[in-house]
Amino acid sequence: WHADHPFVSFMKGRLSPRRAEQFKQQVIDAYDYAVFRADRTLGATIDRLYARGLLTDESRMVITSDHGEFLGEHGLLHHFTFVYEANVRVPFLYWHKGAKQPLSLPEPFAALQAYDLLLTGALPHPARPVRAMGNPAKLMVDLVGEEMGKTTAAVWTDHEKLLCLNDTCFEIDLRGDPDERRPVELPADHPGLARFNPYRRLIRQMSSSAADLPPDLVETLRGLGYAQ
């Protein structure tokens, strides 16, 4: 991307309403095609596993995603570190060939529990916390502006979501406001934020410079593309 790319112009609100809608539809069409191709590839892979007799009664499979995609929600495209629902609520499919009955998954559900399901075929007790965190990408800040520089995090309990943008936190009732258009700002001393403090401390640690992190962690992050 560069400063005059249509993506950057869309994110900065420089496109006319008609051009912005056209560009957004182009992105949606490309995303739909990517999902179509991924679905065909996955189906062919599973067919091949069946054909080779590699799926036994002990076989377990999880199909999920590490993130969603913004397709215009909140004026965003692509997948950034904002933890709005469009970017963090993803499909989760669990399959056990020899299962006697379907496994009921709770809602909300931490996708990290894929590890437990694949390892043991059961959910952990207690359940893993449902949370998401993210740090901004400097490239996006440079291209789009300071609005893209917010450190974000969220914690879910049933239909309630606590969302923090930098040090400002909001409560969202996802039953009544699934599009997250009416967040209620919470005072810093709100009692509900106490359970959020461990995650906020972790966010501050994530925001530290690489020099403050253990060298082996820095190398791991570099290998995964999360650090330079």
Side-chain angles (χ1 to χ4, degrees):
W1 292 318
H2 52 78
D4 295 325
H5 192 282
F7 168 81
V8 177
S9 296
F10 178 94
M11 296 287 293
K12 298 185 77 167
R14 296 192 310 216
L15 298 179
S16 68
R18 179 173 176 273
R19 180 68 184 104
E21 190 61 32
Q22 288 177 336
F23 182 68
K24 184 176 75 171
Q25 190 58 52
Q26 290 173 353
V27 173
I28 292 173
D29 290 344
Y31 185 71
D32 286 346
Y33 181 65
V35 172
F36 167 74
R37 287 292 302 271
D39 181 70
R40 289 188 61 183
T41 301
L42 176 62
T45 301
I46 294 175
D47 288 344
R48 184 64 62 87
L49 291 173
Y50 263 114
R52 294 191 174 187
L54 297 176
L55 295 179
T56 69
D57 282 350
E58 297 304 314
S59 297
R60 293 188 284 262
M61 183 184 306
V62 165
I63 301 171
T64 188
S65 176
D66 57 338
H67 57 73
E69 193 81 1
F70 289 115
L71 298 173
E73 298 89 348
H74 302 281
L76 299 169
L77 295 174
H78 198 50
H79 48 269
F80 298 106
T81 56
F82 289 101
V83 290
Y84 295 119
E85 295 297 287
N87 201 32
V88 296
R89 190 171 292 269
V90 298
F92 190 99
L93 305 176
Y94 172 69
W95 175 85
H96 180 186
K97 189 175 187 296
K100 304 303 181 188
Q101 59 184 14
L103 179 66
S104 178
L105 301 180
E107 173 64 30
F109 181 78
L112 281 174
Q113 292 176 130
Y115 170 83
D116 306 283
L117 288 171
L118 291 173
L119 184 65
T120 68
L123 295 174
H125 296 285
R128 295 178 184 268
V130 184
R131 65 185 184 185
M133 294 168 284
N135 273 341
K138 184 177 184 299
L139 173 63
M140 288 296 101
V141 175
D142 293 342
L143 285 174
V144 179
E146 291 300 322
E147 179 66 19
M148 303 301 296
K150 292 180 178 178
T151 298
T152 64
V155 177
W156 288 258
T157 304
D158 296 326
H159 60 274
E160 178 192 80
K161 177 179 183 179
L162 293 182
L163 170 68
C164 284
L165 305 175
N166 288 343
D167 289 326
T168 304
C169 295
F170 304 86
E171 184 178 49
I172 302 171
D173 182 349
L174 293 174
R175 289 187 304 189
D177 185 20
D179 296 327
E180 302 172 285
R181 296 297 182 186
R182 300 184 301 277
V184 178
E185 184 172 344
L186 298 176
D189 60 352
H190 189 281
L193 294 180
R195 63 188 176 88
F196 200 44
N197 288 337
Y199 310 133
R200 300 181 75 178
R201 286 195 293 270
L202 182 56
I203 292 166
R204 285 192 283 272
Q205 292 173 9
M206 292 169 60
S207 301
S208 301
S209 67
D212 298 328
L213 299 175
D216 57 339
L217 177 57
V218 173
E219 287 306 311
T220 299
L221 293 173
R222 283 181 178 144
L224 294 171
Y226 291 109
Q228 296 179 353

